Amino acid sequence: MLKLLPLCLLLLCPSLPAAERLVWGLLPTPGHVNVVDGKPKDGAALESLWLLARHLPDIEMEYQLVNAPRLDRALSEGAPLCTSGSIRTAQRDQLAYFVPYLLVTPMQLIVRAGEQERFPLRNGKVLLPQLFADPQLRGAFSTTRIYPQPLAATLEQANRAGQLQAIGVWTDQLLLMLSHDRFDYSFEFMAPVRAIARHPQLGTALATLPLAEFDQMAESGLYCPRSAWGRAMAERLDGAVRALAAEQQPLLEFYRHHLTAESYRDYAPAIAAHYRQRAQGPSRFE
């Protein structure tokens, strides 16, 4: 009788439900989604999803690399996948539900180290109108990159005026081109710049300068398609973000790890206040 007991227990006990699978489509970006052997390995965007997974025990996460056109096509077709690390844009809002999650420190001007004195500064910050008007300084930005508003509109306007070059390359390629004197400056967040510093093909080391007109943090987050499945998943992810925001300490440690000591000192109070507010109530999905 004792030998039959485990089998009896197995027959009497209901089977556990299988975890729901959630595919994350991730854009390979140094510092945000680092790639090793063709697969996402680590980086701020990926590690933020690992934090979130603690509050989604019934979801099994899978991570896939995608490019921006493929991602937008999948979202527009209602494919059952979500994406992370996206700056909110009106264009993508038409394709998917946005779940606010992370704050990112302001985008910086990226230059070659030792050349900072070539750029027009006021109180240590770059003046973009004067910069764009200087024909001796050649700048470029990536058409594959999402830039926060209103900076994105400013870059596009400068491009139309012939003052700024638009190049269809990935972030790491753009930064490597800058390091090899292909142009004099570009625009990027801190994480990719810190990551590219370890790249074996880097030429001259890169440095950052703050922008005078664009010194506000931007909000990035998660996107899920505008379908019944996408809305339900967005609501579950929003609940997990609020639960994580209520804890707060894991998120502050996340920022401490991914920001420079100076940036963390400057922005930690605003980040903490943001997450106290974020924990209060659900996002609205319309």
Side-chain angles (χ1 to χ4, degrees):
M1 185 65 180
L2 290 176
K3 293 181 179 180
L4 295 176
L5 185 57
L7 178 60
C8 294
L9 290 174
L10 181 62
L11 292 173
L12 291 172
C13 293
S15 60
L16 294 175
E20 183 174 357
R21 177 171 168 263
L22 172 56
V23 176
W24 290 100
L26 302 175
L27 300 172
T29 307
H32 291 297
V33 178
N34 298 320
V35 178
V36 175
D37 297 329
K39 298 180 180 179
K41 183 179 185 296
D42 55 24
L46 192 58
E47 291 165 29
S48 72
L49 295 180
W50 297 343
L51 272 181
L52 208 58
R54 297 169 48 228
H55 295 280
L56 296 163
D58 55 341
I59 291 181
E60 181 180 344
M61 296 189 178
E62 179 180 321
Y63 308 100
Q64 296 181 3
L65 296 175
V66 296
N67 58 37
R70 179 186 166 196
L71 175 61
D72 285 341
R73 184 169 60 252
L75 291 173
S76 67
E77 294 173 352
L81 90 167
C82 299
T83 189
S84 173
S86 295
I87 297 295
R88 188 169 194 175
T89 67
Q91 179 183 6
R92 193 160 282 173
D93 276 354
Q94 296 177 359
L95 305 177
Y97 294 109
F98 179 74
V99 180
Y101 184 14
L102 298 178
L103 289 177
V104 291
T105 54
M107 195 164 262
Q108 308 275 305
L109 189 80
I110 314 304
V111 303
R112 288 181 292 275
E115 298 186 8
Q116 293 93 322
E117 70 282 354
R118 297 179 61 194
F119 294 85
L121 304 177
R122 182 180 64 202
N123 299 324
K125 296 183 178 182
V126 177
L127 302 168
L128 285 187
Q130 289 88 328
L131 174 62
F132 292 151
D134 188 340
Q136 302 301 314
L137 294 171
R138 300 162 300 133
F141 69 101
S142 172
T143 58
T144 69
R145 190 79 168 98
I146 296 177
Y147 295 89
Q149 292 291 2
L151 176 62
T154 300
L155 301 185
E156 291 165 4
Q157 181 179 3
N159 174 248
R160 289 192 298 269
Q163 299 173 317
L164 188 64
Q165 185 178 4
I167 305 178
V169 298
W170 294 108
T171 298
D172 55 344
Q173 296 170 308
L174 189 78
L175 294 176
L176 289 174
M177 291 170 68
L178 172 59
S179 78
H180 286 281
D181 298 346
R182 295 286 296 277
F183 40 84
D184 299 311
Y185 64 89
S186 189
F187 303 84
E188 192 46 75
F189 293 114
M190 284 296 301
V193 179
R194 296 177 69 188
I196 208 72
R198 302 187 293 270
H199 199 289
Q201 297 178 15
L202 185 73
T204 304
L206 301 178
T208 62
L209 290 169
L211 301 173
E213 297 91 345
F214 305 98
D215 57 358
Q216 299 297 312
M217 286 188 289
E219 191 168 47
S220 74
L222 321 170
Y223 272 111
C224 297
R226 286 191 172 274
S227 63
W229 177 90
R231 178 165 185 148
M233 184 57 70
E235 290 173 347
R236 293 172 71 180
L237 294 173
D238 187 66
V241 171
R242 286 185 284 114
L244 186 59
E247 289 184 84
Q248 196 164 114
Q249 193 58 38
L251 279 167
L252 291 178
E253 288 303 318
F254 167 84
Y255 284 100
R256 188 191 302 274
H257 174 70
H258 286 286
L259 296 179
T260 63
E262 180 181 4
S263 292
Y264 183 81
R265 181 197 65 213
D266 292 343
Y267 292 105
I271 290 171
H274 170 80
Y275 284 113
R276 283 194 296 270
Q277 181 64 32
R278 184 71 176 89
Q280 297 304 309
S283 302
R284 295 179 60 185
F285 300 107
E286 299 176 347

